[in-house]
Amino acid sequence: MELISNTMMWMDNDQFHLIKLTLYTLAILNIAESIAKSPPNKSYEIGTEDIEYYPHYGKKDSSDDGFSGFARPFFDKLSNAYELEFHYTPLPIKRLYNYFLNSNTVDFKYPDNPNWNIKNKQGHKVYYSDAITYYVDGTFIHKDQSLPLNIVYLGVIRGFTPEPYLADKIKVIEFTRSDHLLSALNFKRIDAAYMNVDVAKFQRSKSETNLNVKFCPSLPLTKGSYYLSTMKHPELLNKVNEFIRNNSDFIKELQLLYGLTVVD
């Protein structure tokens, strides 16, 4: 130490500052190298339906290009809890299934359900998380209509399958937007609409037109759950399921906040 001290004493100012600068630079490089070696957050693509399906997921209205509703804060908190990074890829429903099942363009699909699109899923190993939240799809009719009702034209969102009506001789009319579907029913261009009850409730609340439509619980409906599915990363579903188990109160708060129907 005495030798080093004596040596430093005999250095001129330029030499001293050069050594300090060199040591400072080396320290910065070591820090940068350490940061570079730190594993980045793992990034995943979640394929979603490119539709207005608020308050569950998807767009809030036609001007919205984001992923919103109940699903957004759920996945945001999940990603923060496990240092993951999710990107949301909205696609038309039929294309979404093709990207998910055949081209493996997306890592996950939300929402999904083991009972959906069973025919196209044959031959594919699809893994599902635990149930994330519930849904109720039901039949809406015009307020002027009464039961029994002869349904000839049934409106649905494009890409959706009205499972309870498949055995009936009904003409299915597809709509790209949920507000257009309800509008068609309001003007009696279709006999009934089959859609999610929470989505219909939201669309009625924000419509500038007084929609004379009503939910008819005595007509066919479907109760089920939304799941996260994957073919590429089944190991990650363990974290998703752990998150669901440990955040039941948070999920209930979200369901209440977004006015979702809770199925017993």
Side-chain angles (χ1 to χ4, degrees):
M1 290 295 297
E2 183 178 351
L3 177 61
I4 295 174
S5 299
N6 292 336
T7 303
M8 294 289 289
M9 289 175 58
W10 290 102
M11 288 181 183
D12 58 30
N13 287 336
D14 289 341
Q15 289 176 315
F16 182 71
H17 288 304
L18 179 60
I19 290 175
K20 285 180 64 178
L21 179 61
T22 302
L23 293 174
Y24 180 77
T25 303
L26 289 173
I28 293 296
L29 290 174
N30 287 334
I31 293 172
E33 183 180 6
S34 176
I35 293 174
K37 289 181 178 180
S38 300
N41 287 355
K42 199 64 173 150
S43 178
Y44 300 95
E45 293 286 335
I46 298 181
T48 69
E49 298 166 352
D50 187 16
I51 55 176
E52 297 162 38
Y53 225 63
Y54 191 91
H56 277 282
Y57 57 88
K59 300 176 181 178
K60 194 169 186 177
D61 54 50
S62 58
S63 63
D64 182 13
D65 60 357
F67 181 66
S68 59
F70 164 92
R72 187 55 186 261
F74 173 85
F75 284 111
D76 283 350
K77 186 167 183 177
L78 170 64
S79 64
N80 290 332
Y82 293 98
E83 297 184 341
L84 305 171
E85 185 176 340
F86 291 133
H87 299 283
Y88 307 100
T89 306
L91 294 164
I93 295 174
K94 292 180 181 179
R95 192 186 306 170
L96 172 57
Y97 272 110
N98 182 50
Y99 278 25
F100 177 65
L101 296 172
N102 301 317
S103 66
N104 290 324
T105 306
V106 295
D107 298 296
F108 296 91
K109 179 181 181 297
Y110 184 84
D112 205 346
N113 186 292
N115 297 319
W116 295 353
N117 213 346
I118 295 175
K119 182 178 179 180
N120 288 331
K121 288 178 179 176
Q122 289 179 353
H124 299 279
K125 186 61 176 177
V126 181
Y127 301 87
Y128 298 90
S129 70
D130 292 342
I132 294 175
T133 192
Y134 309 100
Y135 73 89
V136 178
D137 293 342
T139 307
F140 290 79
I141 63 175
H142 197 278
K143 288 183 178 180
D144 292 343
Q145 295 169 311
S146 58
L147 301 179
L149 180 66
N150 181 31
I151 300 177
V152 178
Y153 297 102
L154 178 70
V156 300
I157 298 295
R158 187 177 302 280
F160 280 59
T161 302
E163 298 285 350
Y165 289 98
L166 289 182
D168 300 333
K169 294 181 179 180
I170 290 176
K171 177 67 174 177
V172 176
I173 310 297
E174 293 187 326
F175 294 82
T176 56
R177 290 170 49 176
S178 52
D179 57 339
H180 289 177
L181 171 56
L182 289 174
S183 178
L185 179 59
N186 183 59
F187 289 105
K188 299 183 180 179
R189 299 190 184 112
I190 54 177
D191 300 308
Y194 187 77
M195 64 186 300
N196 182 273
V197 297
D198 298 325
V199 174
K201 180 181 178 181
F202 173 75
Q203 289 295 339
R204 290 172 64 187
S205 70
K206 78 180 191 70
S207 175
E208 296 178 358
T209 304
N210 182 27
L211 295 174
N212 293 306
V213 302
K214 62 181 179 181
F215 174 55
C216 192
S218 61
L219 288 177
L221 55 78
T222 303
K223 296 179 180 180
S225 298
Y226 291 147
Y227 303 77
L228 180 69
S229 64
T230 184
M231 293 178 58
K232 299 170 67 175
H233 304 286
E235 74 286 347
L236 190 62
L237 296 183
N238 292 328
K239 294 182 178 180
V240 178
N241 294 339
E242 180 182 64
F243 178 81
I244 294 171
R245 289 193 303 270
N246 294 339
N247 291 273
S248 58
D249 289 342
F250 169 70
I251 293 172
K252 289 176 182 177
E253 289 171 4
L254 284 184
Q255 290 168 336
L256 182 63
L257 176 65
Y258 286 93
L260 304 188
T261 300
V262 178
V263 179
D264 294 330

